[in-house]
Amino acid sequence: MLKSVEPFASAVIPTNPAGMDLTTTGYVHRYISFAAFAVLPVAGLILARHLSRQPSWRVVAAPVRVLAIVVLAGGAAMVFAAFPGHRVLIGLAERLLVIAAIGMLGVLNYRAHRLALVPSPVR
């Protein structure tokens, strides 16, 4: 249940502008965002490994793996921006990470749609 709440909560709970000290809501936003963004690349990498074993899904395994690595790199940039970077450019890192995550979901959705269009063999 908590996993489905994290992205929504991090979007609704405001953070503080760069240069200001974090308030309680800023800290809540930070750690909920980190938790949500940490799950995405791990799930993508695990999923890519399983997809590579399925003949009908093998074609998307590599793009999902690459996008999961991009999400992981975006998460590392976000952590750097949040802590030693004093939140400078954290919004950019978050947006790039979200774009890669949406891309990963888009690749999966496109493949699922294509497979749904293929008629199944009659038994």
Side-chain angles (χ1 to χ4, degrees):
M1 176 66 180
L2 182 61
K3 297 290 184 233
S4 62
V5 173
E6 288 172 355
F8 177 74
S10 64
V12 172
I13 297 172
T15 190
N16 304 100
M20 294 182 62
D21 290 336
L22 283 178
T23 61
T24 302
T25 59
Y27 279 109
V28 169
H29 175 90
R30 172 186 279 181
Y31 294 112
I32 287 176
S33 296
F34 285 159
F37 290 142
V39 170
L40 290 171
V42 172
L45 292 170
I46 292 169
L47 186 59
R49 183 178 48 171
H50 290 288
L51 292 177
S52 67
R53 297 179 190 145
Q54 302 297 321
S56 59
W57 284 88
R58 192 170 292 140
V59 68
V60 296
V64 168
R65 184 176 293 110
V66 167
L67 288 166
I69 291 169
V70 171
V71 172
L72 187 62
M78 191 175 75
V79 168
F80 177 80
F83 294 105
H86 305 291
R87 297 184 329 182
V88 175
L89 298 179
I90 192 168
L92 177 63
E94 287 176 342
R95 282 158 183 81
L96 292 174
L97 189 153
V98 167
I99 289 168
I102 290 171
M104 188 169 44
L105 294 173
V107 166
L108 293 167
N109 184 46
Y110 179 77
R111 185 62 184 158
H113 177 72
R114 297 297 298 170
L115 289 173
L117 295 176
V118 175
S120 61
V122 178
R123 295 182 185 210

